[in-house]
Amino acid sequence: MGKGNFFQDILTSIFNSNNSEVLKRRMLKKAAKDLSKSKYHFYRYGSHEVDPSFAKFFYEIYKAISPAQLMFANSNMHSFKNIVISQSLSDEQKTLIDELSEESLREKARSSSLQDLSRNVNAMLEKFNSELTRDKINRIDSLYTKFVLFKNFCQYDFFFLLKKFDSSLKERSFNSTPKFQQIGGSYVVEDIKNFTSIAWVIPLEADWEDVFKLLKSLKGVEPISLSVWKKILTRLKSVREYNIFELMIQLITEDPGYREAYKMEENHIMDEFILEIRKTAESTLEQLESEQRSDKVDNLLSEIFDTPDVEPLHYYNEETSSVYESKNLLPLTYAAPLSYLRSFLLDFIKKDVRALSDILLVRAEWTSQQMAAPMSEAYHQMLEFSNGITALDEKFADNGEFGGKIKMLLPRVERDREGKNIANMVINDANNEAARLIMVSRQNFVAYAKNLKMLLEDFVKQPHSELIRNWKALDTFAEGKLKQTCIDIYKKLFSFVSLLQNFNIEISDLS
């Protein structure tokens, strides 16, 4: 039984193989017969050669579309796209586009607040969109799609194909009649496939009048006439109806199962155009906001430190941050504000505020020490924070707790996800510590300033002061300038808090 089954399997395999080959030959003969019955005798199955009539078919198309090829040489599709859209918009929409440009928005920003400008941008975008019905958008998209398909067809390399049939053929030279020879089908099979992928996506039954009006508006003349293009479409339609090229490819490749494959193309340029206008406007607003914030920061720095150039921290700085970012790691987010805070604490809090606090918290006779407690607490916490900043900064030294670990991980973070995650966790923890130092310092500045304002109000109530009893004696320690000193320090504290408000300080959770 086992041997019988074995021989039976062999016989079945042989006959099935023969049947498969017979079926293939039968299908190829049918393809050859179908091709011979058509009026397009482009391929000789017996000799496996492509007939010169095939080349003549393509030569006539090449000759007709040659002027269009020149027109599209070095063409800029972005410009064509804008022309298609521009011709479809109303005058009011064109005006709105100009007003939404970066140049126009920057000009408007000189005489308008960003808040008002943002509202104005949204109103203009809404007005622009209100004139665009879905039907109008579809017409624009359809026009551009046909335009692209026409261009792609014209830019097919007809010359490369035709030169295979006549090596003496010169590009776009039609003064003499070419002498096409029959050639082996294998030499052109890929050319045919490429051609069908371009030609069969063209809507052969579509109305092309709008495309040729557009072509004429571009150069003043039509590269080819609409009537000539219609004749080309008619010939393509006939070839496609008889499956001429598909049959040729089946016979050349001896693959009767081959089927033409092509992907229909649709261009939705209007939705992209609207999105681009919005992106440009929003990006410009963001840039303006960033520039204004930068100018505001520089002005506040100059007011607080007499210069916009504040010395950065030694290690937790923007230079180190750029190294991390080049490896696609998190940045040192608060390098700038933390350096400002360190300088403010050292140059102002530990000098001017300390001198004032010695008068107001040590020499002053408070009616109740409980009233002095919030101001005293805020002051003493402010004195401690410079040490915290220094400690965090030193952790990013090459031999520091954070810097050493990241330095070790840095060479492999781009290929090692776990290493990258560890490095980012270290950086995130440091950023969160920096954020806490800034936020708590800001709270203490505000608390100290509020109490200082309260004392200023008490100062002017003399001799009926309610908080401090010996204002007159205290004023002598400030050489009669205590009130002005309090005002100056209050203003500087207010300015520094305003400076910090230009940075988005928050605690981040990577989990």
Side-chain angles (χ1 to χ4, degrees):
M1 291 293 291
K3 291 182 179 179
N5 289 338
F6 173 74
F7 287 115
Q8 184 65 41
D9 289 342
I10 291 177
L11 290 172
T12 300
S13 174
I14 292 172
F15 282 116
N16 282 346
S17 176
N18 289 338
N19 288 340
S20 175
E21 187 63 27
V22 168
L23 180 60
K24 175 182 174 181
R25 291 299 165 191
R26 188 181 299 155
M27 292 175 69
L28 288 173
K29 284 182 179 180
K30 183 181 184 306
K33 186 177 180 180
D34 290 342
L35 186 60
S36 67
K37 284 182 178 180
S38 75
K39 61 181 180 179
Y40 300 102
H41 301 150
F42 289 163
Y43 185 68
R44 301 175 183 180
Y45 184 48
S47 62
H48 304 292
E49 291 177 320
V50 180
D51 192 82
S53 61
F54 173 86
K56 184 179 178 182
F57 175 88
F58 278 90
Y59 180 76
E60 290 174 356
I61 296 176
Y62 174 51
K63 186 176 180 179
I65 59 90
S66 182
Q69 281 192 335
L70 288 172
M71 175 182 176
F72 290 124
N74 301 317
S75 60
N76 185 328
M77 287 309 296
H78 183 70
S79 297
F80 287 141
K81 185 184 296 185
N82 287 339
I83 291 169
V84 170
I85 293 172
S86 179
Q87 290 190 353
S88 306
L89 299 178
S90 68
D91 291 339
E92 186 173 12
Q93 284 178 310
K94 292 175 185 177
T95 300
L96 287 170
I97 290 174
D98 290 339
E99 292 184 358
L100 287 165
S101 67
E102 179 178 353
E103 183 180 0
S104 177
L105 292 178
R106 286 188 173 277
E107 182 64 32
K108 293 177 188 293
R110 295 177 183 176
S111 58
S112 175
S113 69
L114 280 183
Q115 189 175 11
D116 289 341
L117 185 57
S118 179
R119 281 195 293 265
N120 191 20
V121 164
N122 288 330
M124 287 191 288
L125 287 170
E126 187 175 343
K127 189 172 184 62
F128 180 86
N129 291 335
S130 67
E131 291 192 32
L132 286 175
T133 63
R134 179 45 58 181
D135 182 59
K136 186 173 184 178
I137 291 174
N138 289 340
R139 286 200 304 272
I140 295 171
D141 289 343
S142 174
L143 171 59
Y144 184 71
T145 297
K146 288 188 292 184
F147 180 84
V148 171
L149 295 176
F150 175 78
K151 181 189 78 72
N152 291 345
F153 180 84
C154 293
Q155 290 186 310
Y156 175 77
D157 201 343
F158 291 93
F159 176 70
F160 178 77
L161 169 63
L162 293 170
K163 199 168 177 63
K164 295 179 180 181
F165 293 87
D166 181 357
S167 59
S168 65
L169 187 70
K170 291 182 172 54
E171 190 168 14
R172 279 189 283 275
S173 177
F174 306 104
N175 294 326
S176 60
T177 303
K179 297 177 181 179
F180 296 128
Q181 305 294 322
Q182 58 193 35
I183 63 172
S186 60
Y187 289 108
V188 295
V189 66
E190 292 302 322
D191 299 281
I192 300 173
K193 289 180 180 180
N194 292 337
F195 180 77
T196 58
S197 70
I198 293 171
W200 294 164
V201 295
I202 295 174
L204 302 177
E205 303 291 346
D207 180 3
W208 289 84
E209 191 171 344
D210 53 352
V211 174
F212 279 77
K213 283 182 179 178
L214 174 63
L215 290 170
K216 188 172 183 179
S217 71
L218 293 174
K219 295 293 183 179
V221 294
E222 294 174 345
I224 66 174
S225 67
L226 179 57
S227 60
V228 170
W229 176 242
K230 286 181 178 179
K231 288 178 182 178
I232 292 174
L233 294 179
T234 300
R235 300 189 73 189
L236 291 175
K237 182 180 178 182
S238 177
V239 169
R240 186 174 178 183
E241 283 178 349
Y242 286 105
N243 297 319
I244 301 301
F245 294 145
E246 184 176 281
L247 291 170
M248 287 180 67
I249 294 170
Q250 289 175 358
L251 294 170
I252 294 169
T253 61
E254 295 194 341
D255 178 11
Y258 174 82
R259 295 294 180 269
E260 291 170 335
Y262 47 88
K263 185 178 180 181
M264 300 304 292
E265 183 175 348
E266 290 185 4
N267 290 276
H268 301 287
I269 62 169
M270 205 59 219
D271 288 340
E272 294 175 4
F273 184 74
I274 295 169
L275 182 61
E276 190 61 33
I277 293 174
R278 180 177 291 277
K279 281 184 176 179
T280 298
E282 291 176 349
S283 175
T284 301
L285 289 174
E286 289 175 2
Q287 290 175 19
L288 288 168
E289 183 180 5
S290 176
E291 290 166 10
Q292 287 190 9
R293 182 168 56 249
S294 180
D295 289 343
K296 186 177 180 181
V297 166
D298 285 348
N299 290 335
L300 286 168
L301 289 174
S302 296
E303 178 185 329
I304 296 166
F305 300 107
D306 295 326
T307 175
D309 300 318
V310 176
E311 184 181 357
L313 298 175
H314 294 298
Y315 309 107
Y316 186 94
N317 54 43
E318 292 180 352
E319 184 178 349
T320 305
S321 181
S322 65
V323 173
Y324 295 167
E325 290 178 80
S326 70
K327 298 291 185 178
N328 292 318
L329 294 175
L330 293 174
L332 299 179
T333 312
Y334 306 113
L338 197 63
S339 67
Y340 303 153
L341 177 59
R342 192 274 307 269
S343 294
F344 189 70
L345 290 169
L346 295 179
D347 298 344
F348 181 68
I349 299 299
K350 288 194 172 185
K351 294 178 181 178
D352 297 10
V353 173
R354 172 176 278 171
L356 179 63
S357 296
D358 284 346
I359 296 173
L360 297 179
L361 295 174
V362 177
R363 300 180 184 277
E365 295 178 7
W366 289 73
T367 55
S368 168
Q369 285 303 313
Q370 188 175 355
M371 297 293 293
M375 189 174 188
S376 178
E377 178 67 20
Y379 166 64
H380 285 98
Q381 285 200 34
M382 287 190 291
L383 293 179
E384 297 298 324
F385 276 106
S386 62
N387 295 332
I389 295 172
T390 300
L392 174 61
D393 185 36
E394 290 177 349
K395 287 181 181 180
F396 276 91
D398 286 346
N399 59 351
E401 178 185 346
F402 294 162
K405 184 178 291 187
I406 296 175
K407 184 180 179 180
M408 180 182 66
L409 293 169
L410 212 55
R412 61 187 179 95
V413 293
E414 291 180 311
R415 64 179 187 276
D416 182 354
R417 179 177 293 182
E418 183 179 356
K420 181 178 181 179
N421 289 339
I422 293 172
N424 276 334
M425 287 177 65
V426 171
I427 296 171
N428 189 66
D429 288 345
N431 285 336
N432 285 341
E433 178 59 25
R436 290 187 190 95
L437 287 167
I438 295 170
M439 289 190 292
V440 177
S441 294
R442 182 172 57 193
Q443 292 169 1
N444 285 306
F445 296 152
V446 170
Y448 191 93
K450 283 182 177 179
N451 281 273
L452 194 55
K453 183 180 180 183
M454 185 173 62
L455 290 179
L456 278 167
E457 293 170 352
D458 191 63
F459 183 88
V460 298
K461 292 180 181 178
Q462 297 181 68
H464 305 293
S465 302
E466 299 173 356
L467 298 176
I468 292 179
R469 290 188 288 262
N470 61 334
W471 278 117
K472 189 173 183 179
L474 293 178
D475 200 17
T476 61
F477 291 106
E479 300 177 353
K481 299 177 181 178
L482 183 56
K483 179 181 177 181
Q484 189 58 48
T485 300
C486 290
I487 292 172
D488 292 342
I489 288 178
Y490 175 85
K491 286 181 177 179
K492 188 158 283 194
L493 286 169
F494 180 83
S495 294
F496 193 78
V497 170
S498 297
L499 172 66
L500 294 180
Q501 287 173 344
N502 287 279
F503 301 92
N504 184 24
I505 313 295
E506 60 182 7
I507 304 298
S508 175
D509 184 2
L510 282 185
S511 62

